[in-house]
Amino acid sequence: MTGKILLIHHGTAFLTSALINSLKNAGILAELVEPDLDDVLKWEEGADVFLYFAEGDDYLPADLLLWLKEECATGKRHFCVLGYTKEVAEVEEIVSKDAIKCTFLRPIDVKTITEQLCTLYRAQEKRKRKKSILLVDDDATFLRIMEIWLSKKYDVTAVKSGTQAVAFLSSHTPDLILLDYDMPVTSGPQVLKIIRNEPKSASIPVMFLTGKNDRRSVMSVMSLKPDGYLLKPSGKEPILAAIDDFIAKTYEE
């Protein structure tokens, strides 16, 4: 067991106790925490799924809900909500409906909740067994194409700027970074410098994936020691073959 489900609820109730036992019987660890951001931050490490129990408009912790929205935005973790229709709608006003992976509307039985949570949890466990790749490119169309190409074999996170990449790396360690060269604000070479200067990210392999193929551009980043330099015009098969080969050689068991 490598992960857990965090149940966010004020106090202990029959439903939370029954759900914890039901998930335990399914081989999944579930922990109960108060709907307070500081408390959640103490227990969130290792959580793959967060189930927030909506308690009505008497208590809506906006800071916690917005943290959950942001934390689960990449799909690496899932944010779920349980409550009556009115209570769920109040949560959606703060975080938006799209931010919620799964909604459980009361009245609902423990078996149904357990089955759906187990499905989400197992999918996350399967995802974590894949090697992870961070794609960094300001070209949204190319980013989407690469996601489609790679997602069947790898756990892919795509960001549109160097700033977003640096923010992501502050709390994640992908197995490989595919980095565009020419980006506004923070260029690929600048991002690579930041990565190499941070102890936490310094050892992460970085390959440039770019259309910049002139000698000056290539030579300007060689001193930063990237782990590869792939050209976008190469096409799907050569790009995927190079990535597969690098992953296989770097992480061969």
Side-chain angles (χ1 to χ4, degrees):
M1 186 184 301
T2 59
K4 63 185 177 184
I5 294 176
L6 221 56
L7 308 181
I8 305 172
H9 182 274
H10 180 60
T12 303
F14 171 79
L15 181 58
T16 55
S17 297
L19 188 53
I20 288 173
N21 288 330
S22 182
L23 289 167
K24 181 180 179 181
N25 291 335
I28 297 174
L29 173 65
E31 293 183 342
L32 180 64
V33 297
E34 287 289 317
D36 175 82
L37 180 57
D38 290 337
D39 198 40
V40 170
L41 290 176
K42 293 177 183 177
W43 297 97
E44 59 88 17
E45 185 175 357
D48 295 306
V49 181
F50 299 90
L51 176 57
Y52 176 78
F53 288 74
E55 298 292 336
D57 55 10
D58 290 337
Y59 183 66
L60 280 173
D63 59 342
L64 170 59
L65 294 174
L66 292 173
W67 180 85
L68 289 168
K69 174 185 178 180
E70 183 69 22
E71 187 64 24
C72 299
T74 64
K76 306 301 180 187
R77 308 164 103 175
H78 291 323
F79 171 29
C80 304
V81 177
L82 184 151
Y84 290 102
T85 302
K86 178 177 179 294
E87 296 169 331
V88 171
E90 289 167 347
V91 172
E92 291 174 351
E93 287 181 4
I94 297 176
V95 301
S96 81
K97 187 174 183 178
D98 292 341
I100 301 171
K101 178 66 176 181
C102 187
T103 299
F104 301 98
L105 292 177
R106 294 177 182 264
I108 190 170
D109 61 274
V110 172
K111 181 180 178 182
T112 300
I113 303 173
T114 301
E115 289 175 350
Q116 293 189 46
L117 288 178
C118 283
T119 297
L120 290 178
Y121 178 87
R122 302 299 183 200
Q124 292 297 80
E125 288 294 286
K126 182 178 180 180
R127 176 193 61 76
K128 288 192 292 186
R129 289 194 290 270
K130 294 181 178 180
K131 293 299 181 185
S132 59
I133 294 178
L134 173 64
L135 288 172
V136 190
D137 199 307
D138 65 316
D139 184 337
T141 300
F142 182 74
L143 207 60
R144 181 57 184 154
I145 290 172
M146 285 299 299
E147 274 192 284
I148 294 172
W149 288 357
L150 292 168
S151 60
K152 290 184 179 180
K153 191 168 185 179
Y154 301 103
D155 173 26
V156 182
T157 298
V159 298
K160 298 178 182 179
S161 71
T163 302
Q164 291 179 346
V166 173
F168 179 83
L169 292 171
S170 67
S171 56
H172 300 83
T173 307
D175 296 302
L176 173 65
I177 299 171
L178 296 176
L179 182 62
D180 187 23
Y181 187 105
D182 193 12
M183 296 185 293
V185 184
T186 309
S187 69
Q190 288 174 321
V191 174
L192 183 53
K193 287 180 182 178
I194 294 171
I195 290 171
R196 292 292 184 249
N197 288 331
E198 289 292 332
K200 186 176 180 180
S201 60
S203 62
I204 300 174
V206 178
M207 300 177 74
F208 276 99
L209 178 56
T210 178
K212 300 282 285 187
N213 61 355
D214 59 283
R215 178 178 173 82
R216 182 177 180 180
S217 296
V218 175
M219 294 306 297
S220 69
V221 296
M222 286 301 102
S223 62
L224 299 174
K225 299 181 179 179
D227 297 271
Y229 201 100
L230 305 177
L231 295 176
K232 291 180 180 179
S234 299
K236 177 181 178 180
E237 298 307 325
I239 289 176
L240 294 186
I243 293 170
D244 289 344
D245 183 63
F246 179 81
I247 291 287
K249 289 180 178 178
T250 304
Y251 297 102
E252 60 182 357
E253 298 179 357

